[in-house]
Amino acid sequence: MNCMRWIAAPLTAITLATLAAGPRAVAVEKAPTARAGLPTMKVPAPIDVRPGDWPMWGGSTARNNVTTAKGIPTEWEAGGFDNKTGAWQKEQAQNVKWCSRLGSQSYGNPVVANGKVFVGSNNGAGYLKRYPASIDLGVLLCFDEADGRFLWQHSNEKLPTGRVHDWPLQGVCASSFAEGSRVWYVTNRGEVVCLDANGFHDGVDNGPVVKQPAKLFEVMKLEDPTKDKFADALAGLKEGKLNPTLRAAFADAGLPVPDAVKLAAEKTIFKFDFKPAGAKHTREVVIKIEGPKIVGYKILDPDDTDEADVIWSLNMMSDLGISQHNMCACSVTAVGDLLFVNTSNGVDEGHINLPAPHAPSFVCLDKNTGKVLWTDSSPGENVLHGQWSSPSYAVLDGEPQVLFGGGDGWLYSFLADGTSDNGHAKHLWKFDCNPKESKYVLGGRADRNHIIGTPVIYKGLVYVGVGEDPEHGEGVGHLWCIDPRRRGDVSSELAFNLKDLTHPIPHRRNQAVIKEQGEVARPNPNSAAVWHYATFDANKDGNIEFEETMHRTCGTVAIKNDLLFVADFSGLVHCVNAMTGEPYWTHDMLAACWGSPLIINDLVYIGDEDGDIAIFALSDKKNLVAEHNIGSSVYTTPVVANDTLFIADKDHVFAMQDSSK
């Protein structure tokens, strides 16, 4: 594809037919039926959080990372950590209220609601004795917002199928949604769960899920009889006894068992109970023979204040037939009783076939019960890799819309009023975010991408960029502004065969237009494209350079005062006019950017893989105000709640306030 500068006037459709014009071409073409003015827009607020809270990824269902918080520092020292204990050395810190340990890799953005901070990570911190840090898990951690004190952890063991479904050490990559006394999120195991935000600290095991088993240990059967402990432990169980191996396993998991316990046996299940010293409740214990292993469980009760209290869960793999690729990583959102989820359904380990092409890509659930209200599998067999985008929502021109970024590179809009067509979503519009001649190939050489960032809604318009799994490298990117008032296929182009210019070619996975087969792309008269940003010739030398290119992005845009900021995976921060797509400036962070910008009043914060947090002035002229390192890689996005800045790096979360004010 020839590099060129794309600038479009407000509310125009862009023609891609001028690609051959060369790198200095400017493509601007008015849509013959463009609608005047901007769409009306309404974004509902969560009904049961404090005004200064940050209860979901993006802060609201519009997903625009913007805040007017006060007292947010632009200078700080993160402080050091003791080499032996890992303890944070607060005396070395400046403008840091508290710091709490996460796992060894953290990708889930902090969410703050009703006095609690929720962060997705792996089990590197080892907060639970039954799960030491050596055991790989995905976890959702809950901290006290006031002082960073650890409150509870929701634990998710890795799937036995391995990295095809659940990549090692990545933990929980999604952000949660919190409201009232509940928190919802998608686990690494492909489950949507609803938790009690208070955990068991409220002294109640809230239902409908109660008496949840929590694994303590397992004793594996070994072929070498000199090392095998399974046989003796099993023999003891059949005699109604716990042998030394099982007693030691219980103690190591933080639950020492008294000498005198009575086992009740039923086939391969053994039960007993006792009241631990200082406990308020009788502890129920279950031991199961599960094939070649003995597994010990405790039944969670209100004494387990460091554990999560599950309200309900939906297993999307077993219940909906999805097969997530590498990870489930949707940051859910909710409106009223509706919970919107991207399932992450994707390819197999060979990256060619889709194990479940007709499984849902997008679902709407009842957030109170987990009941499936509708599903949609529009990307179908055209999913390129995985589906890790997150939905956004707004009422646009009086019609509620939920927007999903698909694994096929298309953005989809559905009616979001709780109704369905016999359990299927009601389609409003769809938009192909890739040029029709772009091609998907493995190994990082593709110029056709899917959507990882979240669509943002600003002044009634929709903004989204394309990207790819960072494991597949850098590459060409595209950023779009879309008018959400049109219906049907509102892509900027349609694909045709020259032998039939009446009927568009149906959507294809790897390449929409193959010129060698007599196929062409033509402008779509129903296009909703307002503008498209890919490259620009800033120095007017006739060449498109690295700093003049929009690359693949994992990130989401942030917009204020019609200034749009976005970071691409190659480490460039871009500033463009949100209404026209006119590029103003770029800045090279010199490290990969996985996250998204946060706008705080007249400043823009963005982190990178080197651990640097860059702070820019909110301006169409580049002004790097400050840059500070936080100690380790930042794969998340800074957030602000209640006049406090929260930044999660790969192994800690920091709460920052300007101590001089």
Side-chain angles (χ1 to χ4, degrees), residues 107-446:
Y107 301 90
N109 288 295
V111 160
V112 185
N114 297 320
K116 297 178 179 62
V117 180
F118 307 96
V119 188
S121 186
N122 68 17
N123 192 44
Y127 278 109
L128 303 185
K129 197 161 186 180
R130 70 187 180 97
Y131 282 131
S134 59
I135 297 178
D136 189 12
L137 304 172
V139 302
L140 181 70
L141 298 168
C142 177
F143 303 97
D144 190 300
E145 181 186 355
D147 56 15
R149 177 171 52 95
F150 168 75
L151 295 176
W152 54 258
Q153 169 178 308
H154 186 242
S155 309
N156 303 278
E157 293 195 359
K158 304 299 285 186
L159 290 170
T161 46
R163 64 182 57 203
V164 63
H165 291 137
D166 195 357
W167 199 272
L169 295 176
Q170 300 303 287
V172 166
C173 295
S175 299
S176 56
F177 169 80
E179 185 179 75
S181 62
R182 298 289 182 263
V183 57
W184 296 260
Y185 83 105
V186 175
T187 77
N188 49 290
R189 296 174 60 88
E191 296 169 322
V192 186
V193 295
C194 174
L195 307 175
D196 182 354
N198 297 309
F200 288 112
H201 290 266
D202 59 5
V204 179
D205 185 359
N206 292 278
V209 174
V210 295
K211 293 184 175 293
Q212 187 180 11
K215 190 169 88 172
L216 297 173
F217 63 83
E218 57 183 40
V219 177
M220 294 294 299
K221 185 177 182 179
L222 303 177
E223 293 184 3
D224 185 347
T226 63
K227 296 180 180 179
D228 181 55
K229 297 181 179 181
F230 178 92
D232 287 345
L234 180 58
L237 288 173
K238 290 181 177 179
E239 294 175 5
K241 301 175 183 178
L242 296 177
N243 81 335
T245 295
L246 294 184
R247 287 189 176 278
F250 276 111
D252 290 344
L255 188 66
V257 176
D259 291 337
V261 292
K262 251 186 195 182
L263 273 67
E266 182 181 337
K267 295 184 179 179
T268 59
I269 299 176
F270 303 85
K271 299 180 181 179
F272 64 91
D273 58 58
F274 67 99
K275 194 167 185 179
K280 295 180 180 179
H281 302 84
T282 297
R283 172 64 68 196
E284 297 179 53
V285 178
V286 177
I287 301 174
K288 295 183 180 181
I289 312 303
E290 299 179 1
K293 59 186 177 181
I294 297 171
V295 186
Y297 299 89
K298 66 178 178 179
I299 304 302
L300 293 180
D301 64 39
D303 285 326
D304 294 304
T305 54
D306 55 357
E307 302 272 5
D309 182 3
V310 177
I311 306 301
W312 59 257
S313 66
L314 172 72
N315 189 317
M316 294 190 290
M317 294 190 75
S318 60
D319 297 340
L320 300 180
I322 70 118
S323 178
Q324 72 263 23
H325 182 74
N326 293 162
M327 181 68 60
C328 266
C330 168
S331 298
V332 301
T333 193
V335 178
D337 293 331
L338 306 179
L339 184 74
F340 301 108
V341 185
N342 185 322
T343 69
S344 299
N345 192 49
V347 297
D348 61 13
E349 195 166 15
H351 292 78
I352 300 296
N353 301 311
L354 276 86
H358 304 297
S361 291
F362 321 124
V363 299
C364 175
L365 309 177
D366 184 319
K367 77 174 186 184
N368 303 302
T369 64
K371 178 184 177 182
V372 178
L373 301 178
W374 55 250
T375 66
D376 182 84
S377 56
S378 292
E381 297 178 349
N382 295 312
V383 173
L384 302 173
H385 189 189
Q387 300 190 93
W388 303 295
S389 182
S390 301
S392 56
Y393 168 96
V395 179
L396 299 164
D397 269 14
E399 197 158 33
Q401 297 190 33
V402 60
L403 308 175
F404 284 98
D408 54 355
W410 288 62
L411 182 65
Y412 294 89
S413 173
F414 306 105
L415 183 64
D417 62 357
T419 63
S420 69
D421 287 330
N422 295 319
H424 298 286
K426 294 182 178 179
H427 287 244
L428 295 178
W429 54 265
K430 60 182 181 179
F431 187 96
D432 187 356
C433 295
N434 287 288
K436 294 297 185 183
E437 291 183 24
S438 61
K439 186 176 181 180
Y440 186 74
V441 291
L442 296 178
R445 296 171 289 115

Side-chain angles (χ1 to χ4, degrees), residues 14 16 88 108 211 250 548 554:
I14 296 174
L16 301 183
W88 178 51
K211 293 184 175 293
F250 276 111
E548 300 170 334
C554 303

